Amino acid sequence: LKLQFLYLIGTTMLRLHVVHQHVQRRWAASARPRGQPPSRSGRNSRLKEWRAALDSSPPGKVPTKLLAEMEAGIAGESPGSLPAVVSMLAKAKWRRAGRREVAGVLDTVASHLVMQRAAATMTERDVRTLLNALAKCSHRDAALLDHFAGEVAPRAGSFEARSLAMTVWSYATMRGTHGELFSAVATEAARQVGQFNPQNLANTAWAYATVRHDAPALFDSVATEAARQVGQFKPQELANTAWADATVRHDA
């Protein structure tokens, strides 16, 4: 009986706690002046709610209502939170089935970032996360690619190996042939090539061969480093690197 009594008290307190949190959120939303964006904690809460809802969506069913809510709420988000939104969508199991609905959200994200000139203030990690997620969604936005290329190229010297590789791989996947960006990354990638792992090497070589961007010094460096790490390459990485090298030498 004591255990049953304690269980009853515990479940009752938990329910009261949940109700209290719900009332607090509703009160905070009603107390905020109209037109004022939610606080940082409010934005984080909304992102968590979106992630939970996306994760719980059945694989074959597109949550159109949720996606419409996300599209409408993008304008209230800070640029720094948007890479997480795109990453959520890139991981969704139903993404291909909801291509049109997802594209609407991604278009809104791209427009918001370009309008805010966000690339200038985003961290290196946010830049690579955003570009990588857009590439995985097969979503190409010319204005966003132009904007990020112009802002990222001058910063390439401060990017780490992983970010350099992911940036050019993302651009090549989205058919972004931005010469200034690829030239800047090529210079820095050749300097840092010793920090590249097999995946970085394969993705970088594949990207430059795909967009047909001439970077002989980079390919020489990649070839030397790939030979040193050849025992660590996965079959697909080795195939991509060999294809890229053959493509570049054929074009030359």
Side-chain angles (χ1 to χ4, degrees):
L1 290 175
K2 288 183 178 180
L3 290 175
Q4 290 179 341
F5 178 69
L6 291 173
Y7 175 76
L8 180 62
I9 290 178
T11 54
T12 301
M13 291 180 67
L14 179 61
R15 289 172 182 170
L16 288 173
H17 177 68
V18 171
V19 171
H20 176 68
Q21 285 187 321
H22 178 71
V23 170
Q24 279 191 320
R25 285 197 298 268
R26 293 291 297 272
W27 180 85
S30 62
R32 190 173 64 243
R34 294 186 65 182
Q36 180 177 323
S39 64
R40 184 184 183 120
S41 61
R43 288 196 297 268
N44 290 338
S45 176
R46 181 161 59 182
L47 289 176
K48 289 179 180 178
E49 290 174 0
W50 287 351
R51 178 176 284 110
L54 288 169
D55 289 344
S56 62
S57 300
K61 185 177 181 180
V62 181
T64 52
K65 185 176 180 180
L66 173 63
L67 291 172
E69 177 188 327
M70 292 175 69
E71 186 173 347
I74 292 300
E77 296 295 324
S78 65
S81 67
L82 295 181
V85 173
V86 181
S87 186
M88 290 179 209
L89 296 173
K91 295 174 183 177
K93 295 179 181 179
W94 43 261
R95 172 169 49 81
R96 294 188 183 280
R99 189 183 298 272
R100 183 175 62 182
E101 291 84 353
V102 170
V105 180
L106 297 178
D107 283 339
T108 303
V109 168
S111 297
H112 186 57
L113 290 173
V114 172
M115 183 175 63
Q116 297 290 324
R117 307 301 297 170
T121 57
M122 287 174 69
T123 65
E124 173 187 338
R125 180 180 179 180
D126 283 343
V127 169
R128 76 173 185 235
T129 298
L130 175 75
L131 295 174
N132 183 253
L134 285 171
K136 288 182 176 179
C137 287
S138 302
H139 190 83
R140 184 182 190 278
D141 186 285
L144 181 136
L145 292 178
D146 290 345
H147 166 56
F148 271 78
E151 293 291 346
V152 172
R155 294 170 55 188
S158 65
F159 274 28
E160 63 180 18
R162 181 186 178 191
S163 298
L164 294 169
M166 287 180 70
T167 296
V168 291
W169 177 88
S170 299
Y171 264 80
T173 301
M174 292 185 283
R175 305 185 306 283
T177 55
H178 293 71
E180 181 185 0
L181 174 65
F182 276 85
S183 293
V185 171
T187 300
E188 187 58 27
R191 189 181 72 82
Q192 291 192 43
V193 73
Q195 305 300 317
F196 280 46
N197 62 27
Q199 183 181 26
N200 298 153
L201 292 168
N203 286 348
T204 300
W206 177 88
Y208 280 84
T210 297
V211 301
R212 301 297 198 271
H213 186 93
D214 189 36
L218 172 62
F219 267 86
D220 287 345
S221 299
V222 167
T224 301
E225 188 62 26
R228 191 179 70 83
Q229 298 186 39
V230 68
Q232 303 172 40
F233 273 70
K234 295 178 181 178
Q236 187 62 57
E237 294 167 347
L238 199 58
N240 287 349
T241 305
W243 171 85
D245 186 70
T247 300
V248 168
R249 292 184 189 282
H250 179 271
D251 287 351

